[in-house]
Amino acid sequence: GTATISGKKIAGTYTGVIKVNKLPSNSFGNIASLDPENIVVTIYTKDESGQPKTITTTISKVDELKDNNGSSFVSQKFGTSMLGSGSYYVFMQSTYTSPKVTVYRTVVPAGGTDYVVKKAGDDKGVKSSMLNARKNLEEYLNDCSALTEKMKNGTIDKKVSVEKIAEEYSSCK
């Protein structure tokens, strides 16, 4: 696959075999010391002269990964965790993509429920959060008045998936 890395020493885009480590099993059952920033990402690639080169970094320095099947993965920082231990990083995979909008959902650490919705050309997008996630998404997609109205009046159920909302947004005229 391909990895785009930020950081002073290793910034760039690399193609090769990419390994994303799992969370260490000694992290107190992945509860008390859940620190995804330390998830190691290793890229086995070649330098300009064709010699093997290994790049080791962390999840927080990876801007995007693309596998050979075209699936896109991005790292994303989220705010305070449920344990109050500060911010944390996750790897997310696109679960819905259209020319207008992309939805990303957490894949590492496994079991995460976070999502990010990004309009085309917007690097930040809108993140899921404990408070006002639905309202924030509604405001973010307010350039489609038909969708906004359906969300406000309940035509689109509050339990409908973010992917379905993105699909509706994509078909907005």
Side-chain angles (χ1 to χ4, degrees), residues 22-34:
K22 292 182 179 180
L23 285 171
S25 58
N26 62 353
S27 65
F28 305 103
N30 292 344
I31 298 172
S33 72
L34 185 63

Side-chain angles (χ1 to χ4, degrees), residues 86-98:
S87 61
Y88 58 101
Y89 284 88
V90 299
F91 256 141
M92 307 187 99
Q93 181 177 18
S94 57
T95 55
Y96 177 83
T97 303
S98 78

Side-chain angles (χ1 to χ4, degrees), residues 63-64 72-77 92 96-104 115-127 137 140-141 162 166 169-170:
D63 295 329
E64 182 177 28
S72 175
F73 302 84
V74 296
S75 67
Q76 181 70 54
K77 183 177 182 180
M92 307 187 99
Y96 177 83
T97 303
S98 78
K100 284 183 159 184
V101 68
T102 302
V103 176
Y104 295 94
Y115 67 80
V116 174
V117 178
K118 294 182 181 181
K119 292 181 192 176
D122 180 9
D123 289 340
K124 294 194 184 230
V126 66
K127 301 176 190 178
L137 181 61
Y140 184 68
L141 301 176
V162 179
Y169 178 80
S170 295

Side-chain angles (χ1 to χ4, degrees), residues 1 6 12 51 61 70 89 95 116 121 150 155:
S6 60
Q51 295 301 308
K61 300 280 188 229
Y89 284 88
T95 55
V116 174
K150 287 179 181 178
T155 305

Side-chain angles (χ1 to χ4, degrees), residues 9 11 15 19 43 62 82 95 108 121 129:
K9 292 182 181 178
T15 301
K19 177 183 170 192
I43 304 155
V62 177
M82 291 183 291
T95 55
V108 175
S129 64

Side-chain angles (χ1 to χ4, degrees), residues 1-5 12-20 41-47 51-55 64-69:
T2 304
T4 304
I5 310 292
T13 299
Y14 303 95
T15 301
V17 176
I18 301 162
K19 177 183 170 192
V20 178
V41 178
T42 308
I43 304 155
Y44 303 96
T45 187
K46 294 186 177 176
D47 65 15
Q51 295 301 308
K53 180 178 181 178
T54 301
I55 297 164
E64 182 177 28
L65 293 177
K66 286 192 178 174
D67 68 13
N68 291 341
N69 299 325

